[in-house]
Amino acid sequence: MEDGGNGGDKGGGGGATTIDVALKKGPWTTTEDAILIDYVTKHGEGNWNAVQRNIGLARCGKSCRLRWANHFRPNLKKGAFSSEEEKLIIDFHAQFGNKWARMAALLPGRTDNEIKNYWNTRVKPRQRQGLPLYSDDPNRPTTTTATTTPAAAAVTHLGSNFMHNVQTTNKFEFIQQSYLPSSPQHHSPLASPLQYSALTLSSPLSSYATSSSPLSFTFQRPAPLLYNPLSFKRYRSTPNFNLDDGFEFPNHLNSSSSFSHLFQSPTSLDDLERNELSFEFSPSNVQSKMQFFSNQMEPLEVKYDAEYNDPSFLTMNNNRFVGDFLFETQALDSSPQILKKRNYLGLNEGNNDVFDSYQNIDGSPLSSLDWSSTPGLRPKEEANDLNKSLNNDLSTLLNVMPSTMHDQQDWQQNCATEVSNKVQSSYVIIDDNFGLDMKSKTSLFPFISVATNHNDNRGSYPCDNLSTQC
DNA sequence: AAACCCGTCAACCGCGTACCA
DNA sequence: ATGGTACGCGGTTGACGGGTT
């Protein structure tokens, strides 16, 4: 956030190596802005000191980063905070304190500096004077209730459409991967958030990584909350695994699905070969491509890429879901940093605390206490800290989702047992942001039918009705 | 009209942490 | 293990504009 230089880019040793040029301070000129934008557009974010080194912009790296982050970063939302944002800020502050960056991560398009300034200039004075914190609701209590956490409020706020699509018929399993872009992610600050270009990502860390973008379906929200999209995975369960064994997503969609128009040309999996197969569909306005990746030892992975050139596509009611996912992909595309860590949270079979274990990169279970044994995966403190809060968030999410189900408590308890009995691990991977990937094992989405392979810990399991089967 | 006050916001400062050689 | 570099965070400052005196 607001960092910046003092000529030597001091601060924690963050030193500029080239100090020959007197670095400028103070307000940025339009010329400087143009230079910065041009540089970042061409070279991507990061390595901020190189801006000064390479193109002679007389600003230290910190100042460049700050200027970019607060003014030119893609998807920045300018203007006054909405009342909903205000409420979220107040709620977040009640939970996090002065953790402006964390709040910013939960308020898409807003910077920590913005939030901090807002707090210090609007909320704090009201607080000091004993006035209600919520500008539009003088009667609203100034503390959050025990039953509605800020995270829950956010989930509720952001996920209404998502919840609308959730039905009670399927269990689900979360997974998220972090992908390292194979090349610097370039993103024009001038690009519309709705201009999506296909990604080429690779994940050298992932044993089941492929060379294509992980794709994603995500839930409704006004702007990307997650850097990494959701993806559906189908794991090869046995050496005899057969593609024909009933993996039907996403070809098997009912007519009410918002995806249905995307998958109008049924393509039999018989037609697919074992390695990196793909077929394409071209619904109106969207170029999409679905890929299956598989080999004998690795999980089959389904990728769905799409690009579109008509922003109105996203606003069509029946495309909201796809719109979300495209938006999410855009968020991935514009991710300001390469995700360097892969922190896994998985279901802890045995109790109700479902998110406190970890998985190694290679898929082997890893105790949450074992960070030190996996140097490559050791999370920074922040990530751990975030994990904690995300534990809450995810728990909240889980609390919300089953609320549409028949019996939430039973669902939680029985599904924990179910997981324990049948599944080695299911994961939510936490990075600086978090996301949920969904194995095909289960589906939150009633319009996605997943036939299953059997007798395998990593395979798919039918659970047609939670309330009766779980 | 000038001086002053105050709110807002961009930018700076100092520090901490991650990463790497 | 250590030191250097890069980056990010929270606190703070100062410029600026609008309103008031």
Side-chain angles (χ1 to χ4, degrees):
Chain A
M1 141 181 107
E2 332 75 42
D3 51 5
N6 59 355
D9 198 11
K10 290 190 296 191
T17 53
T18 303
I19 321 283
D20 296 340
V21 181
L23 297 180
K24 188 183 170 189
K25 295 200 289 187
W28 281 64
T29 66
T30 53
T31 303
E32 290 174 317
D33 285 343
I35 293 172
L36 176 66
I37 290 170
D38 183 64
Y39 183 87
V40 178
T41 301
K42 289 176 179 170
H43 300 92
E45 300 179 33
N47 201 12
W48 296 108
N49 284 329
V51 181
Q52 190 265 323
R53 280 199 301 267
N54 295 345
I55 59 178
L57 182 60
R59 295 280 182 170
C60 71
K62 293 175 80 172
S63 186
C64 293
R65 186 183 69 84
L66 182 71
R67 183 67 180 171
W68 175 265
N70 287 346
H71 298 280
F72 304 119
R73 199 181 61 192
N75 300 331
L76 267 186
K77 198 190 295 181
K78 288 294 186 179
F81 286 101
S82 69
S83 60
E84 287 194 344
E85 286 175 317
E86 291 177 2
K87 288 171 183 173
L88 284 175
I89 289 172
I90 292 165
D91 285 343
F92 290 150
H93 192 272
Q95 184 176 11
F96 306 139
N98 294 353
K99 298 298 179 184
W100 314 115
R102 176 179 289 180
M103 294 183 214
L106 296 169
L107 284 171
R110 298 298 187 179
T111 68
D112 47 6
N113 207 29
E114 252 182 316
I115 296 169
K116 180 181 58 180
N117 282 332
Y118 171 77
W119 182 266
N120 287 332
T121 60
R122 321 285 167 76
V123 183
K124 216 169 175 179
R126 286 208 297 269
Q127 196 178 40
R128 223 182 271 131
Q129 296 165 20
L131 299 173
L133 298 187
Y134 295 90
S135 56
D136 66 337
D137 183 3
N139 295 321
R140 178 168 175 167
T142 57
T143 57
T144 56
T145 67
T147 53
T148 305
T149 66
V155 167
T156 302
H157 168 63
L158 299 173
S160 57
N161 188 57
F162 170 65
M163 292 311 304
H164 178 72
N165 284 286
V166 171
Q167 291 187 359
T168 64
T169 54
N170 294 303
K171 289 184 309 186
F172 54 88
E173 179 177 13
F174 297 112
I175 247 193
Q176 186 211 22
Q177 291 176 260
S178 301
Y179 287 82
L180 291 167
S182 56
S183 60
Q185 296 297 297
H186 301 162
H187 202 294
S188 167
L190 305 177
S192 158
L194 296 180
Q195 291 175 343
Y196 166 75
S197 16
L199 302 176
T200 300
L201 300 178
S202 65
S203 175
L205 297 179
S206 170
S207 63
Y208 42 80
T210 72
S211 60
S212 159
S213 133
L215 247 240
S216 307
F217 304 97
T218 183
F219 39 84
Q220 175 67 26
R221 55 175 175 259
L225 181 62
L226 317 178
Y227 282 159
N228 292 339
L230 313 181
S231 68
F232 294 83
K233 285 182 182 305
R234 167 64 148 90
Y235 286 91
R236 173 183 304 282
S237 55
T238 72
N240 295 327
F241 171 76
N242 190 327
L243 278 174
D244 302 331
D245 199 29
F247 180 61
E248 295 173 301
F249 167 76
N251 292 317
H252 191 90
L253 300 168
N254 68 40
S255 58
S256 64
S257 164
S258 58
F259 291 105
S260 58
H261 66 289
L262 290 178
F263 305 104
Q264 288 168 350
S265 57
T267 301
S268 168
L269 291 174
D270 289 338
D271 299 335
L272 302 175
E273 306 198 0
R274 288 307 172 98
N275 294 297
E276 190 158 347
L277 307 162
S278 67
F279 56 93
E280 301 188 9
F281 351 47
S282 296
S284 62
N285 301 327
V286 178
Q287 300 297 319
S288 49
K289 176 182 179 183
M290 191 163 127
Q291 297 176 299
F292 292 80
F293 300 92
S294 178
N295 59 43
Q296 285 302 110
M297 302 305 296
E298 301 298 335
L300 170 66
E301 188 161 356
V302 177
K303 306 281 188 190
Y304 179 73
D305 298 335
E307 56 184 349
Y308 58 96
N309 48 26
D310 181 1
S312 68
F313 173 75
L314 297 182
T315 64
M316 297 160 61
N317 285 339
N318 63 341
N319 286 327
R320 292 183 67 188
F321 207 77
V322 177
D324 274 350
F325 123 66
L326 293 172
F327 210 112
E328 191 65 33
T329 306
Q330 171 69 20
L332 178 66
D333 189 29
S334 61
S335 177
Q337 57 188 318
I338 294 174
L339 296 170
K340 299 171 183 172
K341 291 163 292 297
R342 295 161 52 85
N343 308 330
Y344 293 64
L345 299 183
L347 292 175
N348 180 19
E349 307 100 74
N351 57 46
N352 291 329
D353 187 12
V354 295
F355 295 113
D356 70 344
S357 62
Y358 303 87
Q359 182 200 25
N360 212 333
I361 288 284
D362 62 8
S364 60
L366 174 65
S367 163
S368 59
L369 302 175
D370 283 345
W371 287 111
S372 59
S373 67
T374 55
L377 293 176
R378 184 179 305 177
K380 55 181 181 180
E381 282 185 22
E382 177 71 17
N384 267 337
D385 198 28
L386 183 58
N387 286 351
K388 292 174 188 171
S389 70
L390 288 175
N391 263 358
N392 295 333
D393 294 346
L394 291 165
S395 296
T396 300
L397 179 61
L398 289 175
N399 283 336
V400 172
M401 291 195 293
S403 69
T404 64
M405 301 179 179
H406 296 163
D407 189 326
Q408 173 177 334
Q409 293 303 317
D410 283 354
W411 179 87
Q412 284 183 301
Q413 293 171 6
N414 294 335
C415 282
T417 303
E418 167 86 4
V419 167
S420 175
N421 291 339
K422 296 184 177 180
V423 183
Q424 281 183 340
S425 54
S426 50
Y427 310 100
V428 174
I429 305 171
I430 304 301
D431 284 283
D432 291 335
N433 288 273
F434 79 97
L436 310 172
D437 282 14
M438 306 179 69
K439 288 183 184 177
S440 61
K441 163 180 181 284
T442 54
S443 176
L444 277 172
F445 309 105
F447 46 80
I448 297 170
S449 171
V450 179
T452 64
N453 197 6
H454 321 43
N455 307 322
D456 183 90
N457 287 342
R458 301 190 71 183
S460 300
Y461 299 91
C463 188
D464 295 330
N465 190 319
L466 281 176
S467 62
T468 58
Q469 293 194 17
C470 294

